[in-house]
Amino acid sequence: MTLNFVGLGLNDELDITLRGLDIVKNCDVIYLEYYTSMLNCNVSCLENLFQKKIIIADRNLVENKAEQTILNDAKDKEVAFLVVGDIFGATTHTDLRLRAHKLGIKSRFIHNASIMNAVSVTGLELYKFGKTTSIVFPEPGFEPQTPYDVIKKNKKHDLHTLCLLDIKADKEKYMTVNEALKNLLNIEDKRKESIITPDTLVLGCARIGSSDPIIKFGKVSKLLDEDFGEPLHCLIIPGKLHFIEEEVLEIFKVEVNP
Ligand SMILES: C[S@@+](CC[C@H](N)C(=O)[O-])C[C@H]1O[C@@H](n2cnc3c(N)ncnc32)[C@H](O)[C@@H]1O
């Protein structure tokens, strides 16, 4: 039948579109991808709204067992694959779509808001963002410097950089803005190219799209000690600013204490 990719938006069960809700209510099986992002509500709130049971799909199920589960179900049933935010914000979802296509399974796509466009609430112009990067929790022998290189390249072209922060869903570990900044300063210590210094102006964001979002704009040295509260967090390194962007950023400015 059909594999329905349905975006849930950024906050809670009420962010699904009317079209998405209609489709989900008519599905026989519902999977929720819950390892690349998270909602600000329990899964039971979604189940109450849909009046259906939800199967939580972890990375192993989606990436290694989809043929026996999601894709097998979609051969003769209406299946919903729910994604927090928009539906193709992670490679893993595109891969699932491709595998469905190769098996001759029809897919349907219901979009929603994504962190990739919601960052426009900061006042930064979306079309002036360069490549997005991810900052991961460092591990012994695995301390990638990719984010530093992406920021460097974007800056060279006057572009903003959105840094998505690591999630270890199985351990309920979500990287904070503070941890991300420490990570970048550690790389700066090794590279010494003055891409991220304590004086660099950055934006820390938390829970964008929720009822209690936090956006703070200031020097790295200041934001390192700011509390951004509950997850999810992301970090933005602005490129060259237009005067309108500068004016909006003033709203979020965190002053350094005298
Ligand atoms: C792989 S991305 C999520 C993609 C998702 N499908 C979407 O369209 O928004 C996950 C990362 O984006 C950032 N993120 C997602 N939602 C966020 C939000 N509401 N506020 C702040 N950061 C967010 C966090 O850094 C999080 O670890």
Side-chain angles (χ1 to χ4, degrees):
M1 299 257 273
T2 316
L3 177 56
N4 297 278
F5 290 82
V6 181
L8 293 181
L10 295 174
N11 188 23
D12 58 22
E13 77 278 17
L14 297 181
D15 285 304
I16 192 168
T17 62
L18 289 177
R19 189 181 306 281
L21 182 60
D22 191 44
I23 286 173
V24 173
K25 281 187 164 174
N26 283 304
C27 277
D28 306 301
V29 190
I30 304 171
Y31 290 92
L32 169 64
E33 185 278 88
Y34 221 43
Y35 57 92
T36 65
S37 204
M38 65 177 277
L39 283 175
N40 300 313
C41 69
N42 295 325
V43 175
S44 58
C45 297
L46 292 170
E47 291 184 324
N48 288 341
L49 179 67
F50 305 151
Q51 289 294 299
K52 305 238 166 153
K53 269 266 155 242
I54 291 177
I55 302 167
I56 303 289
D58 61 11
R59 189 179 291 279
N60 185 37
L61 188 144
V62 178
E63 295 184 357
N64 304 318
K65 295 188 179 148
E67 272 74 13
Q68 301 97 291
T69 55
I70 306 170
L71 296 170
N72 192 47
D73 287 338
K75 282 180 188 158
D76 55 3
K77 294 189 189 88
E78 283 296 318
V79 174
F81 183 72
L82 309 179
V83 179
V84 178
D86 197 18
I87 51 180
F88 293 126
T91 320
T92 185
H93 309 141
T94 308
D95 180 58
L96 183 65
R97 172 213 186 152
L98 262 180
R99 283 191 278 163
H101 179 75
K102 285 178 187 159
L103 289 169
I105 297 165
K106 197 177 131 209
S107 293
R108 190 186 287 138
F109 312 116
I110 312 298
H111 292 277
N112 210 316
S114 168
I115 189 61
M116 302 293 290
N117 55 45
V119 286
S120 56
V121 71
T122 59
L124 296 179
E125 293 170 17
L126 281 182
Y127 41 80
K128 282 172 59 192
F129 276 78
K131 189 175 177 195
T132 298
T133 189
S134 297
I135 301 180
V136 298
F137 287 112
E139 283 169 25
F142 181 67
E143 294 177 32
Q145 297 189 358
T146 319
Y148 191 88
D149 288 312
V150 172
I151 295 165
K152 181 179 165 185
K153 214 176 242 178
N154 284 343
K155 274 193 166 181
K156 193 171 160 208
H157 296 287
D158 295 334
L159 300 171
H160 312 314
T161 309
L162 168 61
C163 304
L164 302 176
L165 310 186
D166 203 3
I167 293 178
K168 298 254 182 268
D170 51 336
K171 296 183 181 137
E172 293 190 30
K173 228 176 125 188
Y174 306 92
M175 187 182 283
T176 62
V177 168
N178 322 80
E179 289 170 318
L181 289 173
K182 276 183 205 144
N183 182 307
L184 291 175
L185 285 177
N186 283 342
I187 304 175
E188 179 62 54
D189 263 354
K190 291 177 194 139
R191 299 277 294 265
K192 302 198 185 320
E193 295 175 46
S194 297
I195 300 300
I196 293 284
T197 72
D199 285 335
T200 307
L201 288 168
V202 298
L203 272 151
C205 308
R207 302 174 305 284
I208 298 294
S210 74
S211 52
D212 65 340
I214 289 183
I215 301 170
K216 294 185 183 189
F217 174 59
K219 289 186 176 180
V220 167
S221 56
K222 177 70 183 152
L223 263 54
L224 266 175
D225 295 327
E226 290 291 314
D227 183 6
F228 287 84
E230 296 295 306
L232 292 169
H233 297 184
C234 65
L235 177 70
I236 302 171
I237 322 297
K240 191 174 177 193
L241 296 171
H242 182 264
F243 69 91
I244 296 276
E245 293 179 310
E246 275 177 348
E247 210 175 320
V248 183
L249 286 183
E250 280 298 311
I251 301 172
F252 306 115
K253 200 161 185 180
V254 184
E255 301 292 348
V256 180
N257 296 332

